[in-house]
Amino acid sequence: MKSKRTLLIRIGAILLLVAVAAVMFVIGRGHTVYIDNKTLEVGEESYTYMNKVVVRVNGEQVAKLAKRERGMATCIGQSFDMELTVTREKGGDEEIIPVHLNLPYSMDGIIFNVPGYLAGLPADTYLSEFVAAAPTAQEEDEEIVTDEFALGDI
């Protein structure tokens, strides 16, 4: 009788831990969102950058983007809300655009392209995964100095 009760308590504890892990996976995952104000090429179409974009998250300005610039914001969870203040042309009127994104589970670093979003393109077009550039190998032509004072052979 006691062993059955102990087994049930252990199984209950394991199920509780699995449930907590599943909840934390959904609500506790961190993302870095890179906001691009760069021209987006989709097939034959080209969606050009805005003159100026101010990005606010939770009422705080996180980036002020000029042409061809990128800003960054971090968030916890699968939902991301920001407010874009967009000036499309130099000297033009400012538009305030609220943005709500459901972030993909499979991506940690996400690039959000402003011109693609404003053009009404599908999410898979203006959202992409950020891939850091690999460091370049040292060129073989470069002289490698091995002695401390670079005096060479004396």
Side-chain angles (χ1 to χ4, degrees):
M1 185 73 155
K2 186 176 181 178
S3 65
K4 259 188 176 180
R5 192 172 94 189
T6 305
L7 180 63
L8 288 175
I9 290 172
R10 288 181 181 172
I11 290 173
I14 290 172
L15 290 175
L16 179 66
L17 286 174
V18 168
V20 168
V23 168
M24 290 307 294
F25 177 76
V26 172
I27 66 169
R29 185 173 174 128
H31 296 277
T32 303
V33 179
Y34 299 95
I35 300 103
D36 262 357
N37 186 22
K38 299 180 180 182
T39 299
L40 178 65
E41 304 283 336
V42 180
E44 299 287 321
E45 294 290 320
S46 178
Y47 302 94
T48 188
Y49 49 80
M50 304 296 122
N51 186 56
K52 183 175 81 170
V53 178
V54 177
V55 182
R56 287 186 177 80
V57 177
N58 297 327
E60 181 182 334
Q61 180 177 324
V62 295
K64 186 175 185 180
L65 309 174
K67 303 171 186 174
R68 297 180 289 274
E69 287 187 340
R70 175 181 287 167
M72 179 184 85
T74 56
C75 76
I76 302 295
Q78 295 307 120
S79 179
F80 182 65
D81 293 308
M82 66 181 158
E83 182 180 88
L84 303 176
T85 304
V86 177
T87 306
R88 294 180 187 263
E89 299 169 355
K90 189 172 185 173
D93 293 335
E94 291 183 345
E95 298 175 58
I96 297 176
I97 301 166
V99 177
H100 173 79
L101 297 174
N102 291 319
L103 302 174
Y105 290 104
S106 61
M107 296 184 206
D108 289 329
I110 300 165
I111 299 173
F112 171 80
N113 186 274
V114 174
Y117 177 80
L118 295 178
L121 298 176
D124 62 337
T125 308
Y126 63 80
L127 290 179
S128 59
E129 185 169 13
F130 177 77
V131 179
T136 58
Q138 185 178 12
E139 293 183 21
E140 292 180 27
D141 298 346
E142 216 174 285
E143 181 181 333
I144 300 174
V145 178
T146 57
D147 64 336
E148 182 178 350
F149 299 106
L151 297 175
D153 294 334
I154 300 179

